[in-house]
Amino acid sequence: MAATTIATLNKMKANGDKIVSITAYDSSFAKLFDSCGMDFMLVGDSLGNVIQGASSTLPVTIADVAYHTRCVRNGAPNAFVIADMPFMSYSTPAQAYTEAAELMRTGANMVKLEGGEWLIETIRGLVERGVPVCAHLGLLPQSVNVLGGYKVQGREQSAAEQTVRHALALQEAGAQLLVLECVPSELAELISTKLHIPVIGIGAGKDCDGQILVMHDMLGMNSDYLPKFVKNFLAESGSLEAAVRLYIDEVKAGTFPGAEHTFS
């Protein structure tokens, strides 16, 4: 199978082919995901929750993400891998350039940043320096203390309009991918239609160009709490490989996420 590139993902959007992605943190799972045909993997700062046992993503450092990115790259040498830039690692453009370079050296194909129009200069500078960028709007886990918790974003008209404006501005700045987290499905559909770059949803409904889940959620490993937008694919399939393939198949077929996994 040919290696996925950003050109591949753009072509999939243009053709209406759903993009499937998942978080990965180690070599073994990266190898499994890649062999099953995952379109790309994200080394998420969610590792703070699911690997380190923290209550948020805030304790995660660049060194942590770099370590796990190297592990994922070793397991899937030809995969398209995005690495999260953790909390306060891109507070200024200059800092972002230095920290992103570290992640690219460890094997990332792209870095992901959370935030809106305040990132325009940073994104423009990263792209000019050869670092592809994935933007992230909606629920921003790194801003959980400002948001007052993990809440659906963009339900009010003004907030929805602001999210659309941010999405267009980030695309104009050079972002080549956008993750939309925990927003109403109607807003996600509108943004996916307006943008020419692929829009990847998590808790954003079925009309995004693709989907991403945290691997531990998708496998039902967080038994104490399962978000509304998550489905336990392992419970339905009986093996890790079968669960991954079922997840891919249902996203590609447009049957996941269903109405029960969607916010209005």
Side-chain angles (χ1 to χ4, degrees):
M1 184 175 66
T4 299
T5 65
I6 191 61
T8 309
L9 301 179
N10 285 331
K11 185 176 181 181
M12 292 176 72
K13 176 182 175 82
N15 292 341
D17 298 328
K18 294 294 186 182
I19 299 165
V20 193
S21 52
I22 196 167
T23 64
Y25 314 97
D26 64 35
S27 174
S28 298
F29 272 103
K31 183 176 182 179
L32 171 64
F33 297 151
D34 193 42
S35 68
C36 288
M38 199 68 67
D39 293 316
F40 73 83
M41 286 173 264
L42 169 68
V43 182
D45 58 1
S46 49
L47 69 89
N49 305 98
V50 299
I51 302 295
Q52 298 175 340
S55 60
S56 74
T57 64
L58 272 59
V60 176
T61 66
I62 277 287
D64 293 333
V65 178
Y67 170 82
H68 288 279
T69 300
R70 185 178 292 110
C71 293
V72 168
R73 176 55 69 205
N74 288 342
N78 299 313
F80 191 82
V81 176
I82 302 175
D84 257 338
M85 295 194 67
F87 179 64
M88 292 299 287
S89 66
Y90 49 99
S91 58
T92 66
Q95 182 190 22
Y97 305 156
T98 300
E99 305 288 33
E102 177 65 18
L103 298 182
M104 297 295 284
R105 290 190 191 101
T106 59
N109 300 105
M110 176 179 275
V111 299
K112 183 169 75 64
L113 295 74
E114 296 182 11
E117 290 174 323
W118 70 274
L119 284 170
I120 286 174
E121 181 184 354
T122 298
I123 292 174
R124 196 172 281 137
L126 284 168
V127 173
E128 287 173 348
R129 288 160 177 77
V131 180
V133 174
C134 173
H136 184 149
L137 290 172
L139 174 61
L140 307 177
Q142 292 176 16
S143 300
V144 62
N145 291 317
V146 174
L147 297 174
Y150 297 97
K151 303 175 181 178
V152 179
Q153 304 295 306
R155 278 181 163 152
E156 300 80 13
Q157 182 67 24
S158 60
E161 291 173 355
Q162 182 182 60
T163 305
V164 173
R165 187 180 74 247
H166 285 321
L168 290 168
L170 296 174
Q171 175 181 259
E172 178 64 23
Q176 293 178 289
L177 207 65
L178 172 67
V179 168
L180 269 183
E181 182 169 358
C182 289
V183 300
S185 57
E186 296 84 356
L187 176 58
E189 181 181 10
L190 175 64
I191 292 174
S192 299
T193 300
K194 281 184 172 290
L195 268 57
H196 62 73
I197 62 174
V199 176
I200 310 300
I202 176 168
K206 66 179 179 61
D207 294 310
C208 295
D209 302 304
Q211 302 291 327
I212 187 166
L213 287 177
V214 172
M215 58 165 280
H216 295 72
D217 291 341
M218 187 273 288
L219 296 172
M221 295 172 67
N222 291 331
S223 56
D224 54 335
Y225 173 67
L226 197 65
K228 173 184 172 70
F229 55 81
V230 171
K231 177 178 177 180
N232 183 346
F233 287 88
L234 182 58
E236 292 190 14
S237 56
S239 76
L240 290 175
E241 181 175 347
V244 175
R245 293 190 183 279
L246 181 61
Y247 168 54
I248 293 172
D249 289 346
E250 290 197 4
V251 173
K252 295 288 187 184
T255 56
F256 178 83
E260 67 273 26
H261 310 114
T262 301
F263 300 106
S264 58

